[in-house]
Amino acid sequence: MPARPSSSTAVRQRRARGSISPKEVVTGAIELCRTETVDGLSMPRLAQHLDVGVTSIYWYFKSKEDLLDALSDEAFTRFYAQMPPLAGRQWDEVLREYFTNFRTILRADPVLCDLVIMRGGRYRDDTLGRTWERIEGILEVLVAAGFTADEATTAYFTLSVYTRGCLFIERNMRTIEDTEGGGHPKAHLAESMPVLSSVIGRYGSNMIGDDDFAAGVENNLRGLRTLLASRKPQRRR
Amino acid sequence: MPARPSSSTAVRQRRARGSISPKEVVTGAIELCRTETVDGLSMPRLAQHLDVGVTSIYWYFKSKEDLLDALSDEAFTRFYAQMPPLAGRQWDEVLREYFTNFRTILRADPVLCDLVIMRGGRYRDDTLGRTWERIEGILEVLVAAGFTADEATTAYFTLSVYTRGCLFIERNMRTIEDTEGGGHPKAHLAESMPVLSSVIGRYGSNMIGDDDFAAGVENNLRGLRTLLASRKPQRRR
DNA sequence: ACCTGAACACCGTTCAAGT
DNA sequence: ACCTGAACACCGTTCAAGT
């Protein structure tokens, strides 16, 4: 009785010489992460998923770490491909649009979020270059609006850190809630705390909502606007 | 020849009945993390460090996850013990002091940072209560200064997310640089980018400096100040 | 040059005991 | 009640082959 090709107990047939490509491994790995999360990815299961010997992967990637770097790079590329071009007439609109898109896209795709945000990852030079181009574009808008190069850079990084911080914390809380039973509000802990009690409805287990994120961005924009105004020619006084 | 007590090859003597305490396990684990990082902690090595059978740990903690939760809780307690009481006369001083201390303390202790920030961790109710008290204190300062409860809460969380985001990103970059060879500036990538080129010295591989963090906090405070002023009785006009 | 299974050292966890 | 080693299924990686 000849072994059926994809039977679970069948002995895998040896792959032909050029039949495995690094691209295929990366794509398959990201595909598999969709089912098993990035942290849960294992070399044996990936090999099985790709219908390849475990050790074959090591021909293209010298370690799991190395493979994960490639995954991050690919994830980053896919992420940036989804980012719409800079939009907005005013500098503050540009920032708002950019970081709102940034968060929306990564929140919608946990695998990209895990690879791009949670994992640092060393990127290839061209990936890095593409990012920097985008950043440069934003900085130039800010400089044109009257900020110094330093102020523009600080502004960008502040909002970037804030946005990535949001994604990080939210992702962290989600994994905790998934493991643990649902989030009890624990409002009783705030019994003797008047201010916290009055807002505890909004901050139950529902992590960082769109409104909260937006409010944080707006506060930063307000700060930047004030900074800019303080150096513009004062009108009266 | 009688086995020497702590010889590397000696068979460990059976521990007496009450000689292991959960507290001891937690303390020993955090101690060990100082040498092997939190991610590198393993049950067998912890057992060896504690001079205890591996499986004995499972009598007090039903899983490694469970133990890590206890570690996070302990780390959180130690962290909060280091936080000085709220200081500052003005609400903005209070916020600045608080988040600066927050960052300074956790940056100085990678193990606490890993347990408190990088790992979410479910906390015990009393740990949570102590945190909330501190938050309530800050919110009350803000409300007394004229913010609504909602505004105060948003302000707190925005700065909290920003600060934790800083710690997260910095910790992430540090681990990458530790694995990889030192950070090459890669300035050549920014050749055709005038603004980025002009600031690339400040943002080489030196992650988020004290100045950058402070600038982000100040920008948020400026935003809050403007928000508050916009609702105070307008003087002229 | 490319693909592979066997083998190794390690991990978290369970189970059936010992005291 | 508390402590334990043996055993299990899994992991990442190496090595010595096969083609």
Side-chain angles (χ1 to χ4, degrees):
Chain A
M1 203 202 288
R4 271 171 290 153
S6 340
S7 165
S8 54
T9 33
V11 189
R12 240 200 43 258
Q13 272 156 325
R14 191 186 179 91
R15 297 278 299 240
R17 188 99 95 250
S19 67
I20 305 177
S21 73
K23 183 83 195 166
E24 183 200 354
V25 175
V26 167
T27 310
I30 292 183
E31 209 175 293
L32 189 58
C33 287
R34 227 118 234 160
T35 335
E36 328 219 342
T37 60
V38 174
D39 291 324
L41 183 70
S42 93
M43 300 301 269
R45 272 206 298 275
L46 174 56
Q48 196 184 335
H49 180 73
L50 296 168
D51 195 42
V52 150
V54 204
T55 42
S56 304
I57 303 171
Y58 283 86
W59 176 258
Y60 297 98
F61 303 95
K62 73 175 208 295
S63 65
K64 190 187 181 185
E65 187 69 14
D66 199 36
L67 172 62
L68 283 171
D69 281 346
L71 296 191
S72 290
D73 199 274
E74 170 65 18
F76 206 92
T77 303
R78 290 192 196 179
F79 159 65
Y80 256 73
Q82 286 182 67
M83 281 288 278
L86 294 188
R89 304 189 138 266
Q90 309 293 331
W91 62 268
D92 49 353
E93 282 179 62
V94 173
L95 287 176
R96 180 169 34 230
E97 286 296 312
Y98 179 80
F99 287 106
T100 304
N101 288 334
F102 193 103
R103 173 168 173 273
T104 306
I105 292 170
L106 287 176
R107 247 167 64 107
D109 191 331
V111 177
L112 291 200
C113 186
D114 281 352
L115 288 169
V116 172
I117 301 292
M118 307 303 277
R119 199 169 175 289
R122 269 275 164 268
Y123 298 120
R124 292 200 325 268
D125 275 9
D126 57 321
T127 310
L128 221 53
R130 251 176 297 130
T131 321
W132 287 16
E133 269 167 33
R134 196 82 71 128
I135 297 178
E136 172 75 13
I138 294 176
L139 295 185
E140 281 172 11
V141 168
L142 292 177
V143 167
F147 291 99
T148 68
D150 259 352
E151 286 167 349
T153 312
T154 303
Y156 174 83
F157 276 108
T158 301
L159 276 163
S160 172
V161 166
Y162 174 68
T163 307
R164 286 183 284 168
C166 272
L167 287 162
F168 160 66
I169 287 163
E170 222 176 334
R171 189 90 189 88
N172 240 359
M173 288 171 86
R174 188 149 11 190
T175 21
I176 290 171
E177 287 197 347
D178 283 358
T179 358
E180 200 100 2
H184 3 166
K186 305 218 179 187
H188 63 95
L189 285 177
E191 259 168 11
S192 57
M193 309 177 190
V195 186
L196 258 180
S197 290
S198 73
V199 294
I200 202 126
R202 283 184 51 212
Y203 296 89
S205 63
N206 48 346
M207 36 204 72
I208 304 156
D210 291 346
D211 294 351
D212 304 307
F213 173 73
V217 172
E218 289 315 317
N219 191 54
N220 273 285
L221 295 181
R222 209 183 298 123
L224 291 172
R225 236 174 268 128
T226 308
L227 172 67
L228 193 59
S230 75
R231 272 210 334 265
K232 281 262 178 76
Q234 330 262 130
R235 289 188 242 190
R236 34 191 100 181
R237 200 203 204 205
Chain B
M1 205 204 284
R4 271 172 289 152
S6 343
S7 166
S8 54
T9 33
V11 190
R12 241 201 42 258
Q13 273 156 325
R14 192 186 179 90
R15 298 277 300 238
R17 189 98 97 249
S19 67
I20 304 177
S21 73
K23 183 81 194 169
E24 184 199 353
V25 175
V26 167
T27 310
I30 293 183
E31 210 174 291
L32 188 59
C33 287
R34 227 117 234 162
T35 334
E36 331 218 342
T37 59
V38 174
D39 291 326
L41 184 70
S42 94
M43 301 301 268
R45 272 207 297 275
L46 174 56
Q48 196 183 335
H49 180 74
L50 295 169
D51 195 41
V52 151
V54 204
T55 42
S56 303
I57 302 171
Y58 284 84
W59 210 85
Y60 295 98
F61 303 95
K62 73 175 206 297
S63 66
K64 189 186 182 184
E65 187 70 14
D66 199 36
L67 172 62
L68 282 171
D69 281 347
L71 295 191
S72 290
D73 200 274
E74 170 65 18
F76 206 92
T77 303
R78 289 191 196 179
F79 158 65
Y80 256 73
Q82 286 182 67
M83 281 288 278
L86 294 188
R89 304 189 138 266
Q90 309 292 331
W91 61 269
D92 49 353
E93 284 179 60
V94 173
L95 286 177
R96 179 169 34 231
E97 286 296 311
Y98 179 80
F99 287 106
T100 304
N101 289 332
F102 193 102
R103 173 168 173 273
T104 305
I105 291 171
L106 287 177
R107 246 166 65 107
D109 191 332
V111 177
L112 291 200
C113 186
D114 281 352
L115 288 169
V116 172
I117 302 292
M118 308 302 278
R119 199 170 175 288
R122 269 274 165 269
Y123 299 120
R124 292 200 324 269
D125 275 9
D126 56 322
T127 309
L128 222 53
R130 252 175 296 131
T131 320
W132 287 15
E133 269 167 32
R134 197 83 70 129
I135 298 177
E136 172 76 14
I138 294 176
L139 296 185
E140 282 172 10
V141 168
L142 293 176
V143 168
F147 292 99
T148 68
D150 260 351
E151 286 168 349
T153 311
T154 303
Y156 174 85
F157 276 108
T158 300
L159 276 164
S160 171
V161 165
Y162 174 68
T163 307
R164 285 183 284 168
C166 272
L167 287 163
F168 160 67
I169 287 162
E170 221 177 335
R171 189 91 189 88
N172 240 0
M173 288 171 87
R174 187 146 14 187
T175 21
I176 290 169
E177 288 198 346
D178 283 357
T179 357
E180 200 102 0
H184 3 165
K186 304 215 180 190
H188 63 96
L189 285 177
E191 257 167 15
S192 57
M193 309 178 189
V195 186
L196 257 180
S197 291
S198 73
V199 294
I200 202 128
R202 284 184 50 212
Y203 296 88
S205 64
N206 48 345
M207 35 205 70
I208 304 156
D210 290 345
D211 293 352
D212 305 306
F213 173 73
V217 172
E218 288 316 316
N219 191 54
N220 273 285
L221 295 181
R222 207 183 300 124
L224 291 171
R225 237 174 267 127
T226 308
L227 172 68
L228 193 60
S230 75
R231 273 210 333 267
K232 282 261 178 79
Q234 331 262 130
R235 289 189 240 188
R236 32 192 99 179
R237 200 204 205 201

